[in-house]
Amino acid sequence: MRRLMLLPLLLSGCMAPPPAPEAENWRPPPASEAAARDRAAELECIRRGEMAERQQPWLGANNPRAAVIGARVRNSCLDSYRRGEGFGGRGFQPY
């Protein structure tokens, strides 16, 4: 009985197609300089938001206040970058 239950698993493993050889060597096309700069700015804003979350006092396992403050810092950082102000301006201030 046990062998009959394992038979579909063994057969499905045998029938799987081998990976395509061109899939192993595939790489995404290089990003443009502007896209790479925007991604770096986005990662910097995410890092600043996470730092602002960690700076909040610990109020328990689930601290929604710290998450809200981190999101506000991240969003204000992204807004200032998109307006062309760079990373200056509001910085770590959540409001």
Side-chain angles (χ1 to χ4, degrees):
M1 185 70 172
R2 196 183 248 180
R3 290 181 185 167
L4 290 175
M5 293 174 66
L6 292 176
L7 187 62
L9 292 174
L10 291 174
L11 290 177
S12 65
C14 294
M15 299 302 290
E22 63 271 0
E24 296 172 0
N25 298 330
W26 183 83
R27 291 186 182 172
S32 67
E33 192 172 317
R37 191 172 44 248
D38 289 344
R39 180 64 179 154
E42 182 180 349
L43 291 174
E44 175 66 20
C45 291
I46 290 171
R47 186 185 67 77
R48 288 183 180 195
E50 289 175 352
M51 286 177 59
E53 283 184 39
R54 284 187 230 125
Q55 289 176 350
Q56 300 304 311
W58 188 77
L59 299 174
N62 296 323
N63 186 357
R65 181 176 182 268
V68 168
I69 290 174
R72 286 181 179 172
V73 168
R74 182 189 67 237
N75 292 340
S76 68
C77 176
L78 285 171
D79 287 341
S80 66
Y81 175 75
R82 289 178 183 146
R83 282 191 307 247
E85 298 173 4
F87 292 115
R90 297 173 71 171
F92 290 107
Q93 298 173 2
Y95 302 104

